[in-house]
Amino acid sequence: RTTGHATDGTGASPAQVAPHHADQEHLTALSKGRVERQVLIVRDHVLSGRSFSSIEEMDAAFTAWVPLRRAQIHKTHREVIAERAARDHAALKPLPSVPYLVAERQLRQRH
């Protein structure tokens, strides 16, 4: 075991588990905060002070809010959110034709 940052009990750091992300290990805490911030933004701007009688009604409120949010200037990168998202989306590569194997299952008999 190594002393790392994982909370899964392995003691391995994210860089040890996924070496291709080794250069981004320092972003783990920052990224977590950024993701959680998105939840707060939706809660404060879409859900706060409102009640919904159905999931569909809540979904409609969110759908109506998204274009407003995407038209705003992002406070970190100072770009219009929709424009940045479009550029990021265009840079994505297609999914591989072969599915990514996350785990391999093997059955063994014990004697």
Side-chain angles (χ1 to χ4, degrees):
R1 278 191 184 233
T2 60
T3 56
H5 309 290
T7 58
D8 62 1
T10 64
S13 74
Q16 292 166 317
V17 175
H20 55 286
H21 288 298
D23 61 328
Q24 298 177 14
E25 183 173 355
H26 67 285
L27 296 176
T28 304
L30 291 174
S31 299
K32 183 176 188 282
R34 288 181 182 145
V35 169
E36 290 176 358
R37 178 71 184 128
Q38 299 307 308
V39 172
L40 295 176
I41 289 170
V42 170
R43 185 189 70 194
D44 293 345
H45 294 266
V46 180
L47 306 176
S48 183
R50 299 176 70 177
S51 60
F52 302 96
S53 59
S54 67
I55 293 291
E56 292 78 18
E57 186 180 344
M58 184 171 57
D59 190 45
F62 178 76
T63 301
W65 171 79
V66 168
L68 302 173
R69 174 68 179 160
R70 290 176 59 90
Q72 294 177 346
I73 304 286
H74 194 276
K75 292 178 182 172
T76 302
H77 51 67
R78 309 246 186 264
E79 296 179 60
V80 175
I81 295 170
E83 292 172 8
R84 173 73 177 254
R87 191 172 70 250
D88 289 350
H89 183 72
L92 292 174
K93 296 180 179 179
L95 292 173
S97 59
V98 178
Y100 178 72
L101 181 62
V102 176
E104 185 175 314
R105 181 179 230 176
Q106 295 179 1
L107 299 176
R108 298 181 196 175
Q109 289 185 338
R110 297 178 90 158
H111 299 283

